Amino acid sequence: MFTCDTCEANCCRLQVLLIGDHGVPEVMTDWTDWGGQVMHRRDDGWCTALDRATMLCTIYARRPQICRDFEMGGSECIDERSSPNPPED
């Protein structure tokens, strides 16, 4: 069973495309070479909004829709948790 206490935040290493009026602070976003706006990821691949000490999102109430739709314990979550390698761009 997956809970917040056992979450490994693997989804916080995925590229998150921002669409429309997303409410994410500009300082936490980047633009891709192909012109899409995404959540900024640090050099090690982790989302800039992730507090690594707690493994919790620092903008949880304003997180992008794609993050809201990513269901803990859902099929995508299980796939990411079982992946032997961190996600790539």
Side-chain angles (χ1 to χ4, degrees):
M1 176 171 185
F2 301 112
T3 67
C4 290
D5 294 334
T6 63
C7 182
E8 297 172 10
N10 292 22
C11 57
C12 297
R13 292 182 60 104
L14 298 172
Q15 185 174 68
V16 174
L17 179 63
L18 300 172
I19 300 170
D21 186 18
H22 47 74
V24 175
E26 289 292 318
V27 65
M28 292 186 168
T29 68
D30 278 330
W31 290 93
T32 66
D33 294 339
W34 46 270
Q37 191 176 22
V38 295
M39 286 296 296
H40 173 75
R41 288 189 292 168
R42 297 178 184 153
D43 291 339
D44 62 2
W46 288 101
C47 177
T48 193
L50 180 69
D51 179 333
R52 290 191 220 163
T54 64
M55 297 306 278
L56 298 174
C57 180
T58 60
I59 60 166
Y60 189 80
R62 298 181 305 179
R63 69 194 184 281
Q65 187 63 46
I66 196 165
C67 298
R68 293 171 187 275
D69 293 342
F70 199 97
E71 181 182 357
M72 185 186 327
S75 61
E76 292 136 341
C77 172
I78 291 168
D79 288 347
E80 289 305 320
R81 289 177 67 114
S82 64
S83 175
N85 299 311
E88 299 283 329
D89 282 335

